[in-house]
Amino acid sequence: LADLLRAGVPLLRALRLLGNSRADPRIAEVMSAVADAIADGDRLADAMARHGDVFPPVQVAMVRAGERGAFLDQVLERLSTFIAHQAEMRSKVIGNLIYPVILLVAGIGIVVAAMVFFVPRFKGFIDKGMELPLATRLLLGTSDVLVNHWFMVLVAIGVVAFALHRISRRPQVRRAVAVWQLKVPVLGGLVRSLCVARFSRVLGTMLGNGIPMLQAMRIARDAAGHVLLVEAIDAATDAMRAGESLARPLGSSGFLDESTVEMIAVGESANNLPDVLVTVADSLEKRIDQTLAILIRLMEPLLLLLLAGVVI
């Protein structure tokens, strides 16, 4: 859409062209609906807001600012870069986790298959009066449960999963898990960096596209992804309404490290906060890439050793 507008194509015609695209039928249908709304006299941002499952609030707010400031094509170009960067970051995280997850699932499958198909065959070789070690009794008992009571096992797993899902939706439980999560070595720092990087990039991108500070904070709050960071953003928003700066309340929350808070303070003093926030996001994401690479290298041999130990 940014390319079409930059080439001089009118907005309505550009949306119609995107609506005729066959690459993604769902997106094409949404674009056609947006074009119909604009033909009826709506603004682009208002038409996009009706499709919240496709256009999140951060995109709608940036487009609305671009319409008001008459620089819509520039906003769309920055927005496309922002979305592409988010997708790249997400794919890196998921891609780094694919191999360990495959190892873990394959290992569990091998152990279950051994319990169901191989262990029962050895029962006939064991004398019923023989005194067996505890480990052997546990192995035979687990195999017997999986073979003869598999339906009850599946029911128990389903009940436990449902109960955990219901419990995890309680605010106090989510907060307790979030606090514990940050205390785990390495994982806590990784989660903290991911959340701060996402918040910084969303806030910096929105401020750089003319979104008012309080509105940008409200939208960036929804993109934070961690309850403790959300609380820190709420406190910072209240402080800014009272005339304070952004860096001080964020720093007092303890969620952001000192170097990040210092960079935000310098950005506020130099009046280039949007650029500083994007720089913070870039540096944190580089650190995340390095940490993930190290973790993956460590997880592969550890998982192999774990699976070997289970089988032995």
Side-chain angles (χ1 to χ4, degrees):
L1 185 58
D3 293 338
L4 290 170
L5 294 180
R6 197 183 310 110
V9 179
L11 177 60
L12 183 57
R13 184 181 176 189
L15 290 169
R16 294 291 188 200
L17 289 172
L18 293 174
N20 294 329
S21 173
R22 298 180 180 177
D24 191 324
R26 180 168 174 266
I27 298 298
E29 182 181 356
V30 171
M31 288 298 180
S32 296
V34 171
D36 293 337
I38 291 178
D40 292 335
D42 289 348
R43 290 181 173 271
L44 177 60
D46 295 333
M48 291 170 60
R50 296 196 185 105
H51 304 277
D53 56 330
V54 176
F55 304 108
V58 59
Q59 299 179 18
V60 175
M62 288 174 62
V63 169
R64 180 169 282 116
E67 287 184 303
R68 291 174 180 173
F71 51 92
L72 181 59
D73 55 340
Q74 299 175 24
V75 167
L76 289 172
E77 184 176 0
R78 293 174 189 171
L79 186 55
S80 65
T81 303
F82 169 72
I83 295 171
H85 191 280
Q86 280 193 321
E88 181 183 0
M89 190 65 197
R90 190 181 303 112
S91 65
K92 284 183 180 179
V93 174
I94 295 174
N96 284 328
L97 293 176
I98 286 177
Y99 182 64
V101 169
I102 291 176
L103 272 180
L104 187 61
V105 172
I108 293 174
I110 291 171
V111 171
V112 171
M115 292 287 188
V116 173
F117 298 108
F118 299 113
V119 173
R121 297 186 178 183
F122 290 95
K123 282 187 176 181
F125 298 100
I126 299 175
D127 189 353
K128 293 183 178 180
M130 184 184 300
E131 183 66 26
L132 298 174
L134 176 62
T136 305
R137 295 200 302 270
L138 287 175
L139 180 68
L140 295 176
T142 304
S143 174
D144 182 67
V145 170
L146 291 176
V147 172
N148 299 318
H149 306 285
W150 60 269
F151 182 75
M152 296 301 297
V153 172
L154 292 179
V155 171
I157 292 174
V159 170
V160 171
F162 178 75
L164 290 176
H165 175 69
R166 292 295 298 271
I167 293 173
S168 65
R169 298 179 65 179
R170 297 179 180 177
Q172 61 270 25
V173 174
R174 294 176 62 183
R175 193 182 191 284
V177 171
V179 172
W180 170 83
Q181 194 180 52
L182 294 181
K183 294 180 180 179
V184 178
V186 183
L187 177 63
L190 185 62
V191 170
R192 191 188 303 267
S193 297
L194 277 168
C195 296
V196 174
R198 183 165 52 240
F199 164 72
S200 300
R201 186 167 297 281
V202 171
L203 183 60
T205 302
M206 296 189 70
L207 293 176
N209 284 276
I211 309 296
M213 185 65 175
L214 292 179
Q215 181 183 356
M217 288 284 288
R218 185 170 63 253
I219 297 174
R221 171 192 183 277
D222 297 334
H226 197 282
V227 62
L228 296 184
L229 181 56
V230 168
E231 293 175 358
I233 295 170
D234 287 339
T237 303
D238 293 338
M240 293 181 69
R241 286 197 183 99
E244 296 187 28
S245 64
L246 174 64
R248 193 196 65 78
L250 284 180
S252 62
S253 69
F255 196 93
L256 283 72
D257 57 43
E258 293 182 2
S259 61
T260 301
V261 175
E262 185 66 25
M263 289 180 68
I264 293 175
V266 171
E268 287 184 299
S269 302
N271 200 27
N272 66 334
L273 183 59
D275 295 335
V276 169
L277 288 170
V278 173
T279 302
V280 167
D282 289 337
S283 62
L284 288 175
E285 286 166 0
K286 289 179 182 177
R287 190 188 309 170
I288 291 167
D289 287 342
Q290 295 171 353
T291 304
L292 280 176
I294 295 173
L295 284 177
I296 296 305
R297 292 194 187 99
L298 291 174
M299 285 175 66
E300 293 173 6
L302 287 176
L303 282 174
L304 289 174
L305 289 174
L306 176 64
L307 296 176
V310 171
V311 172
I312 292 173

